[in-house]
Amino acid sequence: LHVSVNPPQPYTIRIFRMGWYEGDGGRLMQEVGPLDGITQPPCPQDATTGLTEGQWTSGYTLNVPTDWTTGIYLVVLDNSSNYHVRFTFVVRDDGRVADFLYQQPVTTYQAYNNYPNNGSTGKSLYDYNSFGANTASGNRRAVKVSFDRPRGDQFEYFEIYFVRWAERMGYDISYTTDIDTHLNGARLLNYKGVISAGHDEYWTKEMFDAFEKARDQGVNLAFLGANAAYWQTRLEPSSRNVANRVMVSYKNAALDP
């Protein structure tokens, strides 16, 4: 976890597994801290692409306990000034085959993320919430966005209601992300059905091909949301050469080098 607090002050971490849980909507799995927080450096921005990418140091490393079941987990960070932020991550279980596989659309989260959302420099893949100078897109929006920047999470806007309902109804579900599908599309073949919910909008060719192959081999596909597979994107390494940390989407073939 890469955390910045301003001014430097202690913070705590709470981690919940999202589900029904008799109507509570989640279960507290772990508490950490207080930890000594620091103010991380600003995330530099590339003037041509609009890419905003941080190179923050790690504040805490979570070693996922072996008894944590597959699911979507919510992290709540609270500092000593009572300010808090939330974000999610997925715990996969590649050794357990369930009836259904739920895909969390984390590429779409980053497409709309306009960190630092300050009205002057923040950029997403959209002009409406991008600011500052024009980029290679011809307007203010970026053509590249990074996973190495804060927030960028739409789970609580769209998907949380489906996850809580599905677990309340007792469906046997395993959880994954679209990045996992990009890296290992053959995993979709292990399930009776694959579920895409929320606003699953940004797909690589690898993701699209994996879904078509699964469909052709008899796997059911359920799309419970809008704009599924609307924009084609591709993934590139970060400036630190970590694979699949930058999402590229010029949205115009004539602009894309």
Side-chain angles (χ1 to χ4, degrees), residues 103-121:
Q103 175 178 278
Q104 188 181 28
V106 297
T107 54
T108 298
Y109 298 172
Q110 289 304 339
Y112 285 89
N113 180 8
N114 68 339
Y115 176 85
N117 191 23
N118 56 7
S120 59
T121 62

Side-chain angles (χ1 to χ4, degrees), residues 64-249:
V64 177
T66 56
D67 61 349
W68 283 18
T69 188
T70 179
I72 297 180
Y73 287 74
L74 177 74
V75 180
V76 181
L77 302 176
D78 295 281
N79 68 15
S80 56
S81 299
N82 294 320
Y83 179 81
H84 73 274
V85 294
R86 301 187 295 269
F87 59 91
T88 59
F89 65 90
V90 166
V91 171
R92 296 199 328 264
D93 186 350
D94 295 346
R96 176 181 174 275
V97 176
D99 288 337
F100 301 105
L101 181 67
Y102 178 88
Q103 175 178 278
Q104 188 181 28
V106 297
T107 54
T108 298
Y109 298 172
Q110 289 304 339
Y112 285 89
N113 180 8
N114 68 339
Y115 176 85
N117 191 23
N118 56 7
S120 59
T121 62
K123 290 186 183 296
S124 72
L125 292 182
Y126 290 87
D127 194 50
Y128 82 92
N129 68 346
S130 293
F131 305 94
N134 287 357
T135 69
S137 68
N139 54 40
R140 295 174 300 181
R141 70 174 180 86
V143 295
K144 295 185 179 185
V145 290
S146 173
F147 282 89
D148 294 332
R149 56 190 177 139
R151 307 277 317 256
D153 200 327
Q154 298 176 351
F155 174 75
E156 292 182 84
Y157 292 115
F158 297 117
E159 301 157 65
I160 191 170
Y161 307 103
F162 170 78
V163 169
R164 287 174 172 170
W165 172 83
E167 296 212 348
R168 181 185 186 184
M169 300 304 293
Y171 288 108
D172 185 14
I173 300 178
S174 190
Y175 292 84
T176 190
T177 74
D178 47 10
I179 296 292
D180 297 308
T181 300
H182 172 86
L183 295 172
N184 182 17
R187 185 164 176 257
L188 274 56
L189 302 176
N190 296 331
Y191 301 87
K192 295 178 181 178
V194 180
I195 301 166
S196 161
H199 203 71
D200 194 357
E201 188 174 356
Y202 286 78
W203 291 43
T204 65
K205 185 178 187 300
E206 289 84 351
M207 298 170 193
F208 192 88
D209 289 349
F211 265 68
E212 283 203 328
K213 182 176 181 180
R215 178 204 63 190
D216 293 346
Q217 296 196 27
V219 177
N220 295 286
L221 306 179
F223 295 92
L224 308 177
N227 283 29
Y230 190 85
W231 289 111
Q232 180 173 341
T233 187
R234 64 178 180 272
L235 299 175
E236 293 181 349
S238 69
S239 61
R240 293 179 172 180
N241 203 34
V242 180
N244 305 312
R245 298 299 293 173
V246 173
M247 186 168 65
V248 183
S249 187

